[in-house]
Amino acid sequence: NNTALVTGTDSLWNLGGGSLTVGEGTGAASRVAVNSLTVRNSGVVTNVNRLILASGPTASNNSVLVDGGSLYAATIGTSNMMVNSFTLTGGGSVTATNLFSVTNGNFSVSISGGTLNVKNSWVSNGTVFVVGDGSQSAMLNVLSGGTNLFADRLAITNSATLAGSGFVQATTTVYGTLSPGNLGTGIGALTVRGGLTLNAGCQSTFDLAAYTTAGTGWDYLSVTNGTLALAGVTTNQAGLYTVEVTGPCGSFTNSGTLTVLEKTVATPF
């Protein structure tokens, strides 16, 4: 059993571009060994090339916990089919600048709170990818230039936010907040492929900087290969709507027709 704990302000583990494996083995002993990486209370683990959770066919019961700390890696993933876990909670942050990969049905991923920043994701473990536990503030922020596949659907809970300026390939339901655009740096475009449902009570936030083009002058949302569904909207709310925006960059209006095909009822988390 091995434990790595990085905790407290000014606690920093810089791997210098090296790789880190949490749990490795090929024999019976690796089935019962418990190995863990814990980053909490403002501790930081950074400059990781590849973070591998469980290497070897029998490595199990290993875990990564980010609880109020920060983890920065190029690639985060697992390499076997055993029971292991990855948890983000307590206002922490995890950033994967290259790939976040989960393809093991026994691999538990819990994004209870905090911010998950990902450029490319491949999540196909037979389970809906849920962001937020319903009480903590949580965010999935997709970084520009990547594609994020959630094969078994994506759900953003009522305390969580879907943000960013990249591609999400998933049947997606937002119960909390939708906020297209580059987090912290301004305007951007978010594309959802596969259908997007905004549940009743969902909030949408769009930043506007200049009346120029979508994605550069103001935040832009595109839904392709599916429909944009507004849960709770009824047929008598169909019709022509005009939006007027006024701010430091001036004022402008735009109009569009809302067509209601059917009422959608989403199951809350």
Side-chain angles (χ1 to χ4, degrees):
N1 298 339
N2 301 283
T3 299
L5 172 63
V6 182
T7 183
T9 304
D10 298 326
S11 296
L12 171 68
W13 186 9
N14 188 335
L15 275 83
S19 295
L20 175 62
T21 299
V22 181
E24 184 174 13
T26 58
S30 64
R31 294 178 181 271
V32 296
V34 178
N35 303 285
S36 65
L37 168 65
T38 300
V39 189
R40 60 167 33 121
N41 298 333
S42 300
V44 177
V45 175
T46 190
N47 206 7
V48 183
N49 181 28
R50 295 181 65 208
L51 173 60
I52 304 170
L53 181 51
S55 176
T58 60
S60 62
N61 302 305
N62 305 289
S63 65
V64 171
L65 169 64
V66 180
D67 182 2
S70 299
L71 169 63
Y72 300 91
T75 298
I76 300 174
T78 185
S79 66
N80 69 18
M81 300 302 292
M82 304 300 288
V83 176
N84 297 281
S85 65
F86 182 96
T87 303
L88 172 62
T89 188
S93 67
V94 172
T95 301
T97 57
N98 179 46
L99 177 65
F100 182 81
S101 176
V102 179
T103 57
N104 170 10
N106 293 316
F107 188 91
S108 171
V109 179
S110 176
I111 311 299
S112 300
T115 300
L116 176 62
N117 304 294
V118 288
K119 184 171 186 179
N120 296 287
S121 303
W122 184 280
V123 180
S124 178
N125 61 344
T127 303
V128 178
F129 192 85
V130 179
V131 179
D133 61 5
S135 58
Q136 297 185 68
S137 176
M139 177 180 292
L140 173 63
N141 178 41
V142 294
L143 305 176
S144 179
T147 298
N148 297 273
L149 169 67
F150 301 94
D152 303 293
R153 296 188 297 127
L154 171 65
I156 309 298
T157 66
N158 54 9
S159 62
T161 299
L162 173 60
S165 190
F167 291 86
V168 173
Q169 188 167 332
T171 300
T172 303
T173 302
V174 178
Y175 300 87
T177 301
L178 173 70
S179 182
N182 294 304
L183 185 65
T185 60
I187 306 303
L190 177 66
T191 299
V192 178
R193 297 171 177 166
L196 172 63
T197 297
L198 303 182
N199 196 49
C202 167
Q203 297 184 2
S204 298
T205 302
F206 292 81
D207 291 329
L208 303 117
Y211 189 21
T212 54
T213 58
T216 57
W218 64 88
D219 287 337
Y220 179 69
L221 170 69
S222 175
V223 179
T224 63
N225 297 333
T227 59
L228 172 62
L230 306 178
V233 176
T234 57
T235 54
N236 61 1
Q237 293 170 312
L240 178 67
Y241 286 80
T242 299
V243 177
E244 179 179 354
V245 178
T246 301
C249 62
S251 300
F252 63 90
T253 61
N254 203 348
S255 299
T257 300
L258 174 65
T259 302
V260 180
L261 301 178
E262 62 179 327
K263 182 177 180 180
T264 302
V265 178
T267 303
F269 277 81

